[in-house]
Short mmCIF file of all heavy atoms in Angstrom, two decimals:
data_model
loop_
_atom_site.label_atom_id
_atom_site.label_comp_id
_atom_site.label_asym_id
_atom_site.label_seq_id
_atom_site.Cartn_x
_atom_site.Cartn_y
_atom_site.Cartn_z
N PRO A 1 0.83 -1.21 0.00
CA PRO A 1 0.00 0.00 0.00
C PRO A 1 0.87 1.27 0.00
O PRO A 1 1.91 1.29 0.64
CB PRO A 1 -0.80 -0.09 1.28
CG PRO A 1 -0.40 -1.35 1.98
CD PRO A 1 0.64 -2.01 1.17
N CYS A 2 0.42 2.27 -0.71
CA CYS A 2 1.16 3.52 -0.85
C CYS A 2 0.48 4.63 -0.06
O CYS A 2 -0.74 4.67 0.04
CB CYS A 2 1.23 3.92 -2.32
SG CYS A 2 2.10 2.70 -3.33
N LYS A 3 1.27 5.54 0.46
CA LYS A 3 0.74 6.60 1.31
C LYS A 3 0.03 7.70 0.53
O LYS A 3 -0.84 8.37 1.06
CB LYS A 3 1.83 7.20 2.19
CG LYS A 3 2.92 7.89 1.42
CD LYS A 3 4.01 8.44 2.32
CE LYS A 3 5.08 9.07 1.44
NZ LYS A 3 6.17 9.58 2.17
N ASP A 4 0.40 7.92 -0.75
CA ASP A 4 -0.21 8.99 -1.53
C ASP A 4 -0.02 8.75 -3.03
O ASP A 4 0.60 7.76 -3.43
CB ASP A 4 0.36 10.35 -1.12
CG ASP A 4 1.88 10.43 -1.24
OD1 ASP A 4 2.49 9.64 -2.00
OD2 ASP A 4 2.47 11.28 -0.55
N GLN A 5 -0.56 9.66 -3.84
CA GLN A 5 -0.48 9.51 -5.30
C GLN A 5 0.96 9.54 -5.79
O GLN A 5 1.32 8.82 -6.71
CB GLN A 5 -1.30 10.60 -5.99
CG GLN A 5 -1.45 10.39 -7.49
CD GLN A 5 -2.28 9.15 -7.81
OE1 GLN A 5 -3.36 8.98 -7.29
NE2 GLN A 5 -1.75 8.29 -8.66
N GLU A 6 1.78 10.34 -5.16
CA GLU A 6 3.18 10.44 -5.55
C GLU A 6 3.88 9.07 -5.43
O GLU A 6 4.63 8.66 -6.31
CB GLU A 6 3.90 11.48 -4.68
CG GLU A 6 5.35 11.68 -5.08
CD GLU A 6 6.03 12.75 -4.24
OE1 GLU A 6 5.36 13.48 -3.50
OE2 GLU A 6 7.26 12.84 -4.34
N GLU A 7 3.60 8.37 -4.36
CA GLU A 7 4.20 7.05 -4.16
C GLU A 7 3.63 6.03 -5.16
O GLU A 7 4.36 5.20 -5.70
CB GLU A 7 3.99 6.58 -2.72
CG GLU A 7 4.84 5.37 -2.38
CD GLU A 7 4.81 5.02 -0.91
OE1 GLU A 7 3.91 5.45 -0.16
OE2 GLU A 7 5.70 4.26 -0.50
N ILE A 8 2.32 6.11 -5.43
CA ILE A 8 1.72 5.23 -6.44
C ILE A 8 2.40 5.46 -7.78
O ILE A 8 2.80 4.52 -8.47
CB ILE A 8 0.20 5.48 -6.55
CG1 ILE A 8 -0.51 4.96 -5.30
CG2 ILE A 8 -0.37 4.83 -7.81
CD1 ILE A 8 -1.98 5.34 -5.22
N ASP A 9 2.54 6.73 -8.17
CA ASP A 9 3.17 7.07 -9.45
C ASP A 9 4.61 6.56 -9.51
O ASP A 9 5.06 6.07 -10.56
CB ASP A 9 3.15 8.58 -9.66
CG ASP A 9 1.74 9.15 -9.81
OD1 ASP A 9 0.80 8.37 -10.04
OD2 ASP A 9 1.60 10.38 -9.69
N TYR A 10 5.34 6.68 -8.42
CA TYR A 10 6.73 6.22 -8.37
C TYR A 10 6.82 4.72 -8.65
O TYR A 10 7.55 4.29 -9.54
CB TYR A 10 7.35 6.53 -7.00
CG TYR A 10 8.70 5.92 -6.82
CD1 TYR A 10 9.83 6.51 -7.38
CD2 TYR A 10 8.86 4.72 -6.12
CE1 TYR A 10 11.09 5.93 -7.23
CE2 TYR A 10 10.11 4.13 -5.97
CZ TYR A 10 11.21 4.74 -6.53
OH TYR A 10 12.45 4.15 -6.40
N TYR A 11 6.07 3.92 -7.89
CA TYR A 11 6.14 2.47 -8.07
C TYR A 11 5.58 2.03 -9.41
O TYR A 11 6.09 1.10 -10.04
CB TYR A 11 5.45 1.74 -6.91
CG TYR A 11 6.28 1.75 -5.67
CD1 TYR A 11 5.91 2.50 -4.56
CD2 TYR A 11 7.47 1.04 -5.60
CE1 TYR A 11 6.70 2.53 -3.42
CE2 TYR A 11 8.26 1.06 -4.46
CZ TYR A 11 7.87 1.81 -3.38
OH TYR A 11 8.66 1.84 -2.26
N TRP A 12 4.52 2.69 -9.86
CA TRP A 12 3.95 2.36 -11.17
C TRP A 12 4.99 2.59 -12.26
O TRP A 12 5.17 1.76 -13.15
CB TRP A 12 2.71 3.21 -11.43
CG TRP A 12 1.88 2.68 -12.54
CD1 TRP A 12 1.97 3.02 -13.87
CD2 TRP A 12 0.86 1.71 -12.45
NE1 TRP A 12 1.05 2.31 -14.59
CE2 TRP A 12 0.35 1.50 -13.74
CE3 TRP A 12 0.31 0.98 -11.40
CZ2 TRP A 12 -0.67 0.61 -14.01
CZ3 TRP A 12 -0.71 0.11 -11.67
CH2 TRP A 12 -1.18 -0.08 -12.96
N GLY A 13 5.71 3.70 -12.17
CA GLY A 13 6.75 4.01 -13.15
C GLY A 13 7.88 2.99 -13.15
O GLY A 13 8.45 2.68 -14.20
N LYS A 14 8.20 2.46 -12.01
CA LYS A 14 9.28 1.47 -11.89
C LYS A 14 8.84 0.07 -12.29
O LYS A 14 9.64 -0.70 -12.83
CB LYS A 14 9.79 1.42 -10.44
CG LYS A 14 10.43 2.69 -9.95
CD LYS A 14 11.76 2.92 -10.61
CE LYS A 14 12.42 4.15 -10.03
NZ LYS A 14 13.66 4.47 -10.72
N LEU A 15 7.59 -0.29 -12.01
CA LEU A 15 7.17 -1.69 -12.17
C LEU A 15 6.36 -1.98 -13.43
O LEU A 15 6.44 -3.08 -13.97
CB LEU A 15 6.36 -2.13 -10.95
CG LEU A 15 7.15 -2.20 -9.65
CD1 LEU A 15 6.21 -2.41 -8.47
CD2 LEU A 15 8.18 -3.31 -9.71
N SER A 16 5.58 -1.05 -13.90
CA SER A 16 4.68 -1.32 -15.02
C SER A 16 5.44 -1.37 -16.34
O SER A 16 5.93 -0.35 -16.83
CB SER A 16 3.58 -0.26 -15.10
OG SER A 16 2.75 -0.55 -16.20
N LYS A 17 5.52 -2.57 -16.92
CA LYS A 17 6.24 -2.74 -18.19
C LYS A 17 5.40 -3.45 -19.25
O LYS A 17 5.85 -3.63 -20.37
CB LYS A 17 7.54 -3.55 -17.96
CG LYS A 17 8.48 -2.93 -16.95
CD LYS A 17 8.92 -1.55 -17.36
CE LYS A 17 9.84 -0.95 -16.31
NZ LYS A 17 9.97 0.48 -16.39
N VAL A 18 4.16 -3.85 -18.92
CA VAL A 18 3.28 -4.56 -19.86
C VAL A 18 1.92 -3.84 -19.82
O VAL A 18 1.01 -4.28 -19.11
CB VAL A 18 3.14 -6.05 -19.49
CG1 VAL A 18 2.34 -6.79 -20.54
CG2 VAL A 18 4.51 -6.70 -19.29
N PRO A 19 1.77 -2.75 -20.58
CA PRO A 19 0.55 -1.94 -20.52
C PRO A 19 -0.75 -2.72 -20.73
O PRO A 19 -1.76 -2.41 -20.11
CB PRO A 19 0.74 -0.90 -21.62
CG PRO A 19 2.22 -0.79 -21.77
CD PRO A 19 2.75 -2.17 -21.50
N GLU A 20 -0.73 -3.74 -21.56
CA GLU A 20 -1.96 -4.50 -21.82
C GLU A 20 -2.39 -5.33 -20.61
O GLU A 20 -3.50 -5.87 -20.60
CB GLU A 20 -1.83 -5.38 -23.06
CG GLU A 20 -0.72 -6.39 -23.01
CD GLU A 20 0.64 -5.88 -23.49
OE1 GLU A 20 0.81 -4.66 -23.70
OE2 GLU A 20 1.53 -6.71 -23.66
N SER A 21 -1.56 -5.43 -19.59
CA SER A 21 -1.90 -6.18 -18.38
C SER A 21 -2.40 -5.29 -17.26
O SER A 21 -2.70 -5.77 -16.18
CB SER A 21 -0.67 -6.96 -17.89
OG SER A 21 -0.30 -7.93 -18.82
N GLU A 22 -2.48 -4.00 -17.49
CA GLU A 22 -2.86 -3.06 -16.45
C GLU A 22 -4.37 -3.02 -16.26
O GLU A 22 -5.12 -2.91 -17.23
CB GLU A 22 -2.36 -1.65 -16.80
CG GLU A 22 -0.87 -1.58 -16.90
CD GLU A 22 -0.37 -0.24 -17.43
OE1 GLU A 22 -1.19 0.62 -17.81
OE2 GLU A 22 0.85 -0.08 -17.49
N GLN A 23 -4.80 -3.11 -15.01
CA GLN A 23 -6.23 -3.00 -14.68
C GLN A 23 -6.38 -2.89 -13.17
O GLN A 23 -5.76 -3.66 -12.44
CB GLN A 23 -7.01 -4.21 -15.19
CG GLN A 23 -8.50 -4.13 -14.97
CD GLN A 23 -9.17 -2.99 -15.73
OE1 GLN A 23 -8.84 -2.71 -16.86
NE2 GLN A 23 -10.11 -2.33 -15.09
N CYS A 24 -7.19 -1.97 -12.72
CA CYS A 24 -7.57 -1.84 -11.30
C CYS A 24 -6.38 -1.79 -10.35
O CYS A 24 -6.40 -2.37 -9.28
CB CYS A 24 -8.49 -2.98 -10.89
SG CYS A 24 -10.02 -3.07 -11.81
N GLY A 25 -5.32 -1.09 -10.76
CA GLY A 25 -4.15 -0.97 -9.91
C GLY A 25 -3.14 -2.10 -10.06
O GLY A 25 -2.11 -2.11 -9.40
N TRP A 26 -3.44 -3.07 -10.93
CA TRP A 26 -2.52 -4.17 -11.18
C TRP A 26 -1.64 -3.84 -12.37
O TRP A 26 -2.10 -3.30 -13.37
CB TRP A 26 -3.28 -5.47 -11.49
CG TRP A 26 -3.87 -6.10 -10.28
CD1 TRP A 26 -5.14 -5.92 -9.81
CD2 TRP A 26 -3.24 -7.00 -9.38
NE1 TRP A 26 -5.34 -6.66 -8.67
CE2 TRP A 26 -4.18 -7.34 -8.38
CE3 TRP A 26 -1.96 -7.56 -9.32
CZ2 TRP A 26 -3.89 -8.20 -7.34
CZ3 TRP A 26 -1.68 -8.42 -8.27
CH2 TRP A 26 -2.62 -8.74 -7.30
N CYS A 27 -0.37 -4.19 -12.27
CA CYS A 27 0.56 -4.04 -13.39
C CYS A 27 1.50 -5.24 -13.40
O CYS A 27 1.53 -6.03 -12.46
CB CYS A 27 1.33 -2.74 -13.29
SG CYS A 27 2.46 -2.61 -11.88
N LYS A 28 2.24 -5.36 -14.48
CA LYS A 28 3.16 -6.47 -14.62
C LYS A 28 4.55 -5.91 -14.90
O LYS A 28 4.71 -5.01 -15.72
CB LYS A 28 2.71 -7.38 -15.77
CG LYS A 28 3.38 -8.75 -15.77
CD LYS A 28 2.76 -9.66 -16.82
CE LYS A 28 1.43 -10.16 -16.33
NZ LYS A 28 0.86 -11.23 -17.17
N ASP A 29 5.57 -6.47 -14.22
CA ASP A 29 6.94 -6.00 -14.41
C ASP A 29 7.61 -6.72 -15.58
O ASP A 29 7.01 -7.57 -16.23
CB ASP A 29 7.75 -6.12 -13.12
CG ASP A 29 8.04 -7.55 -12.68
OD1 ASP A 29 7.90 -8.48 -13.49
OD2 ASP A 29 8.42 -7.73 -11.50
N LYS A 30 8.87 -6.37 -15.83
CA LYS A 30 9.59 -6.93 -16.98
C LYS A 30 9.86 -8.43 -16.85
O LYS A 30 10.18 -9.09 -17.83
CB LYS A 30 10.89 -6.18 -17.20
CG LYS A 30 11.90 -6.31 -16.07
CD LYS A 30 13.13 -5.49 -16.37
CE LYS A 30 14.13 -5.56 -15.23
NZ LYS A 30 15.32 -4.76 -15.52
N TYR A 31 9.68 -8.98 -15.67
CA TYR A 31 9.89 -10.41 -15.46
C TYR A 31 8.58 -11.20 -15.51
O TYR A 31 8.57 -12.41 -15.35
CB TYR A 31 10.57 -10.66 -14.11
CG TYR A 31 11.90 -9.96 -14.00
CD1 TYR A 31 12.04 -8.83 -13.20
CD2 TYR A 31 13.02 -10.41 -14.71
CE1 TYR A 31 13.26 -8.17 -13.12
CE2 TYR A 31 14.22 -9.75 -14.62
CZ TYR A 31 14.34 -8.63 -13.83
OH TYR A 31 15.54 -7.97 -13.75
N GLY A 32 7.46 -10.49 -15.71
CA GLY A 32 6.16 -11.14 -15.78
C GLY A 32 5.46 -11.27 -14.43
O GLY A 32 4.41 -11.89 -14.35
N LEU A 33 6.02 -10.68 -13.39
CA LEU A 33 5.38 -10.71 -12.06
C LEU A 33 4.32 -9.61 -11.98
O LEU A 33 4.55 -8.49 -12.43
CB LEU A 33 6.41 -10.49 -10.95
CG LEU A 33 7.45 -11.60 -10.79
CD1 LEU A 33 8.50 -11.18 -9.78
CD2 LEU A 33 6.80 -12.89 -10.38
N SER A 34 3.19 -9.93 -11.41
CA SER A 34 2.11 -8.96 -11.25
C SER A 34 2.20 -8.30 -9.89
O SER A 34 2.51 -8.94 -8.89
CB SER A 34 0.76 -9.66 -11.40
OG SER A 34 0.59 -10.10 -12.72
N TRP A 35 1.87 -7.00 -9.87
CA TRP A 35 1.90 -6.20 -8.65
C TRP A 35 0.61 -5.39 -8.58
O TRP A 35 0.15 -4.88 -9.59
CB TRP A 35 3.06 -5.20 -8.70
CG TRP A 35 4.39 -5.83 -8.81
CD1 TRP A 35 5.03 -6.22 -9.96
CD2 TRP A 35 5.27 -6.15 -7.75
NE1 TRP A 35 6.26 -6.75 -9.67
CE2 TRP A 35 6.43 -6.72 -8.32
CE3 TRP A 35 5.21 -6.00 -6.37
CZ2 TRP A 35 7.50 -7.15 -7.55
CZ3 TRP A 35 6.28 -6.43 -5.61
CH2 TRP A 35 7.41 -6.99 -6.20
N GLN A 36 0.05 -5.28 -7.39
CA GLN A 36 -1.07 -4.35 -7.21
C GLN A 36 -0.55 -3.17 -6.41
O GLN A 36 -0.05 -3.33 -5.29
CB GLN A 36 -2.25 -4.99 -6.49
CG GLN A 36 -3.44 -4.05 -6.50
CD GLN A 36 -4.70 -4.67 -5.95
OE1 GLN A 36 -4.65 -5.46 -5.02
NE2 GLN A 36 -5.83 -4.29 -6.51
N ILE A 37 -0.66 -2.01 -7.01
CA ILE A 37 -0.18 -0.77 -6.40
C ILE A 37 -1.41 0.06 -6.06
O ILE A 37 -2.11 0.55 -6.95
CB ILE A 37 0.76 -0.03 -7.37
CG1 ILE A 37 1.91 -0.94 -7.76
CG2 ILE A 37 1.25 1.26 -6.74
CD1 ILE A 37 2.78 -0.42 -8.88
N CYS A 38 -1.67 0.19 -4.77
CA CYS A 38 -2.90 0.89 -4.36
C CYS A 38 -2.61 1.76 -3.14
O CYS A 38 -1.64 1.56 -2.43
CB CYS A 38 -4.00 -0.11 -4.07
SG CYS A 38 -3.63 -1.28 -2.77
N PRO A 39 -3.50 2.73 -2.90
CA PRO A 39 -3.33 3.60 -1.73
C PRO A 39 -3.65 2.84 -0.44
O PRO A 39 -4.47 1.92 -0.44
CB PRO A 39 -4.32 4.73 -1.98
CG PRO A 39 -5.35 4.16 -2.89
CD PRO A 39 -4.65 3.12 -3.71
N GLU A 40 -3.02 3.26 0.63
CA GLU A 40 -3.25 2.59 1.91
C GLU A 40 -4.68 2.78 2.40
O GLU A 40 -5.17 1.99 3.20
CB GLU A 40 -2.25 3.06 2.97
CG GLU A 40 -2.25 4.53 3.26
CD GLU A 40 -1.13 4.96 4.19
OE1 GLU A 40 -0.13 4.24 4.33
OE2 GLU A 40 -1.27 6.04 4.77
N ASN A 41 -5.39 3.78 1.89
CA ASN A 41 -6.78 4.01 2.29
C ASN A 41 -7.77 3.46 1.25
O ASN A 41 -8.90 3.92 1.16
CB ASN A 41 -7.03 5.49 2.55
CG ASN A 41 -6.96 6.33 1.29
OD1 ASN A 41 -6.30 5.95 0.32
ND2 ASN A 41 -7.60 7.48 1.32
N MET A 42 -7.38 2.45 0.50
CA MET A 42 -8.23 1.90 -0.55
C MET A 42 -9.56 1.41 0.01
O MET A 42 -10.61 1.59 -0.62
CB MET A 42 -7.50 0.76 -1.28
CG MET A 42 -8.19 0.33 -2.54
SD MET A 42 -8.13 1.67 -3.74
CE MET A 42 -9.20 1.02 -4.99
N GLU A 43 -9.54 0.80 1.17
CA GLU A 43 -10.79 0.30 1.77
C GLU A 43 -11.76 1.46 2.02
O GLU A 43 -12.95 1.35 1.73
CB GLU A 43 -10.49 -0.43 3.08
CG GLU A 43 -11.70 -1.07 3.70
CD GLU A 43 -11.37 -1.88 4.94
OE1 GLU A 43 -10.22 -2.32 5.10
OE2 GLU A 43 -12.28 -2.06 5.75
N GLU A 44 -11.24 2.57 2.50
CA GLU A 44 -12.06 3.76 2.74
C GLU A 44 -12.62 4.30 1.42
O GLU A 44 -13.79 4.66 1.32
CB GLU A 44 -11.22 4.82 3.44
CG GLU A 44 -11.93 6.13 3.69
CD GLU A 44 -11.00 7.16 4.28
OE1 GLU A 44 -10.10 6.80 5.07
OE2 GLU A 44 -11.17 8.35 3.94
N LEU A 45 -11.77 4.38 0.40
CA LEU A 45 -12.21 4.88 -0.91
C LEU A 45 -13.32 4.01 -1.49
O LEU A 45 -14.27 4.51 -2.09
CB LEU A 45 -11.04 4.93 -1.89
CG LEU A 45 -9.92 5.91 -1.58
CD1 LEU A 45 -8.80 5.77 -2.60
CD2 LEU A 45 -10.43 7.33 -1.51
N MET A 46 -13.23 2.70 -1.32
CA MET A 46 -14.19 1.78 -1.90
C MET A 46 -15.55 1.81 -1.20
O MET A 46 -16.53 1.28 -1.72
CB MET A 46 -13.64 0.36 -1.93
CG MET A 46 -12.46 0.18 -2.87
SD MET A 46 -12.77 0.74 -4.56
CE MET A 46 -14.05 -0.41 -5.06
N LYS A 47 -15.64 2.45 -0.06
CA LYS A 47 -16.92 2.59 0.64
C LYS A 47 -17.78 3.69 0.02
O LYS A 47 -18.96 3.78 0.32
CB LYS A 47 -16.68 2.88 2.13
CG LYS A 47 -16.12 1.70 2.89
CD LYS A 47 -15.89 2.05 4.33
CE LYS A 47 -15.29 0.87 5.08
NZ LYS A 47 -14.99 1.19 6.47
N LYS A 48 -17.19 4.51 -0.84
CA LYS A 48 -17.93 5.60 -1.46
C LYS A 48 -18.83 5.08 -2.57
O LYS A 48 -18.53 4.08 -3.22
CB LYS A 48 -16.95 6.63 -2.02
CG LYS A 48 -16.10 7.29 -0.96
CD LYS A 48 -15.18 8.31 -1.56
CE LYS A 48 -14.41 9.05 -0.48
NZ LYS A 48 -13.78 10.26 -0.99
N SER A 49 -19.92 5.79 -2.76
CA SER A 49 -20.86 5.44 -3.81
C SER A 49 -20.19 5.50 -5.18
O SER A 49 -19.45 6.44 -5.47
CB SER A 49 -22.03 6.43 -3.77
OG SER A 49 -22.89 6.23 -4.86
N LYS A 50 -20.40 4.51 -5.99
CA LYS A 50 -19.89 4.40 -7.35
C LYS A 50 -18.36 4.22 -7.43
O LYS A 50 -17.76 4.34 -8.49
CB LYS A 50 -20.32 5.59 -8.20
CG LYS A 50 -21.82 5.72 -8.30
CD LYS A 50 -22.23 6.85 -9.19
CE LYS A 50 -23.75 6.96 -9.19
NZ LYS A 50 -24.23 8.09 -9.93
N ALA A 51 -17.72 3.93 -6.30
CA ALA A 51 -16.27 3.74 -6.29
C ALA A 51 -15.85 2.55 -7.13
O ALA A 51 -14.82 2.59 -7.81
CB ALA A 51 -15.77 3.58 -4.86
N PHE A 52 -16.64 1.48 -7.12
CA PHE A 52 -16.29 0.29 -7.89
C PHE A 52 -16.30 0.60 -9.39
O PHE A 52 -15.43 0.14 -10.12
CB PHE A 52 -17.24 -0.86 -7.56
CG PHE A 52 -16.79 -2.17 -8.13
CD1 PHE A 52 -15.66 -2.80 -7.65
CD2 PHE A 52 -17.49 -2.76 -9.17
CE1 PHE A 52 -15.23 -4.01 -8.19
CE2 PHE A 52 -17.09 -3.97 -9.71
CZ PHE A 52 -15.95 -4.59 -9.22
N ALA A 53 -17.25 1.41 -9.83
CA ALA A 53 -17.31 1.80 -11.24
C ALA A 53 -16.06 2.61 -11.62
O ALA A 53 -15.51 2.44 -12.71
CB ALA A 53 -18.57 2.61 -11.52
N VAL A 54 -15.62 3.48 -10.72
CA VAL A 54 -14.40 4.26 -10.97
C VAL A 54 -13.20 3.32 -11.07
O VAL A 54 -12.39 3.42 -11.98
CB VAL A 54 -14.19 5.32 -9.86
CG1 VAL A 54 -12.82 5.98 -9.98
CG2 VAL A 54 -15.29 6.37 -9.90
N LEU A 55 -13.10 2.40 -10.13
CA LEU A 55 -11.98 1.46 -10.11
C LEU A 55 -11.90 0.66 -11.40
O LEU A 55 -10.81 0.46 -11.96
CB LEU A 55 -12.10 0.52 -8.91
CG LEU A 55 -11.01 -0.54 -8.78
CD1 LEU A 55 -9.65 0.10 -8.53
CD2 LEU A 55 -11.36 -1.52 -7.68
N LEU A 56 -13.03 0.19 -11.90
CA LEU A 56 -13.03 -0.64 -13.11
C LEU A 56 -12.55 0.12 -14.34
O LEU A 56 -12.05 -0.50 -15.28
CB LEU A 56 -14.43 -1.21 -13.36
CG LEU A 56 -14.87 -2.28 -12.40
CD1 LEU A 56 -16.30 -2.72 -12.72
CD2 LEU A 56 -13.94 -3.48 -12.42
N LYS A 57 -12.66 1.43 -14.34
CA LYS A 57 -12.20 2.25 -15.47
C LYS A 57 -10.71 2.57 -15.38
O LYS A 57 -10.12 3.02 -16.35
CB LYS A 57 -13.00 3.55 -15.54
CG LYS A 57 -14.44 3.35 -15.88
CD LYS A 57 -15.18 4.67 -15.88
CE LYS A 57 -16.66 4.46 -16.11
NZ LYS A 57 -17.40 5.73 -16.04
N GLN A 58 -10.13 2.37 -14.21
CA GLN A 58 -8.73 2.76 -14.00
C GLN A 58 -7.75 1.64 -14.33
O GLN A 58 -8.07 0.46 -14.18
CB GLN A 58 -8.51 3.17 -12.54
CG GLN A 58 -9.27 4.40 -12.15
CD GLN A 58 -9.04 4.79 -10.71
OE1 GLN A 58 -8.93 3.95 -9.84
NE2 GLN A 58 -8.96 6.09 -10.47
N LYS A 59 -6.61 2.04 -14.79
CA LYS A 59 -5.47 1.13 -14.90
C LYS A 59 -4.65 1.40 -13.65
O LYS A 59 -4.72 0.69 -12.69
CB LYS A 59 -4.72 1.36 -16.19
CG LYS A 59 -5.60 0.98 -17.39
CD LYS A 59 -4.84 1.04 -18.66
CE LYS A 59 -5.72 0.68 -19.83
NZ LYS A 59 -5.97 -0.73 -19.97
N LYS A 60 -3.89 2.51 -13.65
CA LYS A 60 -3.23 2.96 -12.43
C LYS A 60 -4.28 3.68 -11.60
O LYS A 60 -5.09 4.44 -12.13
CB LYS A 60 -2.09 3.93 -12.78
CG LYS A 60 -1.43 4.54 -11.58
CD LYS A 60 -0.25 5.42 -11.95
CE LYS A 60 -0.70 6.71 -12.56
NZ LYS A 60 0.41 7.65 -12.81
N ILE A 61 -4.30 3.44 -10.31
CA ILE A 61 -5.27 4.09 -9.43
C ILE A 61 -4.91 5.56 -9.26
O ILE A 61 -3.78 5.90 -8.92
CB ILE A 61 -5.36 3.38 -8.08
CG1 ILE A 61 -5.93 1.98 -8.30
CG2 ILE A 61 -6.21 4.18 -7.08
CD1 ILE A 61 -5.98 1.10 -7.09
N ILE A 62 -5.89 6.41 -9.53
CA ILE A 62 -5.75 7.86 -9.36
C ILE A 62 -6.67 8.25 -8.21
O ILE A 62 -7.90 8.25 -8.35
CB ILE A 62 -6.16 8.62 -10.65
CG1 ILE A 62 -5.40 8.09 -11.87
CG2 ILE A 62 -5.98 10.12 -10.46
CD1 ILE A 62 -3.90 8.26 -11.83
N ILE A 63 -6.09 8.54 -7.07
CA ILE A 63 -6.84 8.84 -5.86
C ILE A 63 -7.81 10.00 -6.07
O ILE A 63 -8.94 9.96 -5.60
CB ILE A 63 -5.89 9.14 -4.68
CG1 ILE A 63 -5.03 7.92 -4.38
CG2 ILE A 63 -6.67 9.57 -3.44
CD1 ILE A 63 -3.89 8.17 -3.40
N GLY A 64 -7.40 11.01 -6.80
CA GLY A 64 -8.23 12.20 -7.02
C GLY A 64 -9.57 11.90 -7.67
O GLY A 64 -10.52 12.67 -7.51
N GLU A 65 -9.66 10.82 -8.42
CA GLU A 65 -10.91 10.48 -9.09
C GLU A 65 -11.99 10.00 -8.09
O GLU A 65 -13.15 9.88 -8.45
CB GLU A 65 -10.67 9.44 -10.17
CG GLU A 65 -9.87 9.99 -11.33
CD GLU A 65 -9.66 9.00 -12.45
OE1 GLU A 65 -10.26 7.92 -12.45
OE2 GLU A 65 -8.86 9.33 -13.34
N TYR A 66 -11.60 9.74 -6.86
CA TYR A 66 -12.55 9.32 -5.83
C TYR A 66 -13.00 10.50 -4.96
O TYR A 66 -13.91 10.35 -4.16
CB TYR A 66 -11.91 8.26 -4.93
CG TYR A 66 -11.58 6.98 -5.66
CD1 TYR A 66 -10.38 6.83 -6.33
CD2 TYR A 66 -12.50 5.92 -5.69
CE1 TYR A 66 -10.09 5.66 -7.02
CE2 TYR A 66 -12.21 4.76 -6.37
CZ TYR A 66 -11.01 4.64 -7.03
OH TYR A 66 -10.73 3.48 -7.72
N ASN A 67 -12.35 11.64 -5.10
CA ASN A 67 -12.61 12.79 -4.22
C ASN A 67 -14.04 13.30 -4.30
O ASN A 67 -14.59 13.74 -3.30
CB ASN A 67 -11.64 13.93 -4.49
CG ASN A 67 -10.24 13.61 -4.01
OD1 ASN A 67 -10.04 12.70 -3.22
ND2 ASN A 67 -9.27 14.34 -4.51
N ASP A 68 -14.66 13.30 -5.48
CA ASP A 68 -16.00 13.85 -5.64
C ASP A 68 -17.11 12.85 -5.32
O ASP A 68 -18.29 13.19 -5.37
CB ASP A 68 -16.19 14.38 -7.05
CG ASP A 68 -15.30 15.61 -7.32
OD1 ASP A 68 -14.93 16.29 -6.34
OD2 ASP A 68 -14.98 15.85 -8.49
N LEU A 69 -16.74 11.61 -5.03
CA LEU A 69 -17.72 10.59 -4.69
C LEU A 69 -18.15 10.74 -3.24
O LEU A 69 -17.38 11.21 -2.41
CB LEU A 69 -17.16 9.19 -4.92
CG LEU A 69 -16.65 8.88 -6.32
CD1 LEU A 69 -16.06 7.47 -6.35
CD2 LEU A 69 -17.75 9.03 -7.35
N ARG A 70 -19.35 10.29 -2.94
CA ARG A 70 -19.83 10.37 -1.55
C ARG A 70 -19.96 9.01 -0.96
O ARG A 70 -20.04 8.04 -1.53
CB ARG A 70 -21.16 11.09 -1.50
CG ARG A 70 -20.99 12.51 -1.92
CD ARG A 70 -22.29 13.23 -1.84
NE ARG A 70 -22.00 14.60 -2.25
CZ ARG A 70 -22.90 15.51 -2.35
NH1 ARG A 70 -24.13 15.25 -2.06
NH2 ARG A 70 -22.59 16.72 -2.71
#
């Protein structure tokens, strides 16, 4: 789990090497290993209305896209 968007972006930049494998915060590295890179407050974000719909549209998780949800 990452503390903020900056940390998510950092790890995503280092690990994501197979764009067609990206979905819902999951990425694949150059060795074929899958990683889920998500914010430490993901459980809280997912309690918001329509959060699952937002998640399904994301490849890398963008925390800001959950801010307007209730």
Side-chain angles (χ1 to χ4, degrees):
C2 298
K3 64 182 178 182
D4 56 23
Q5 189 66 51
E6 183 178 349
E7 192 171 18
I8 289 171
D9 295 345
Y10 172 80
Y11 284 110
W12 196 268
K14 296 289 184 185
L15 293 170
S16 179
K17 303 300 179 199
V18 185
E20 59 273 11
S21 295
E22 298 172 356
Q23 184 64 40
C24 300
W26 285 93
C27 66
K28 195 173 284 190
D29 68 17
K30 64 182 178 180
Y31 302 106
L33 294 173
S34 293
W35 300 86
Q36 188 174 35
I37 302 171
C38 60
E40 59 187 20
N41 67 335
M42 192 66 189
E43 185 176 337
E44 178 185 325
L45 295 176
M46 293 307 295
K47 290 179 182 177
K48 296 181 176 195
S49 173
K50 300 183 183 175
F52 190 69
V54 171
L55 179 65
L56 289 177
K57 293 178 185 177
Q58 295 180 323
K59 294 187 181 283
K60 175 176 73 174
I61 294 175
I62 306 297
I63 298 170
E65 292 182 9
Y66 296 86
N67 289 343
D68 293 335
L69 303 177
R70 294 182 180 178

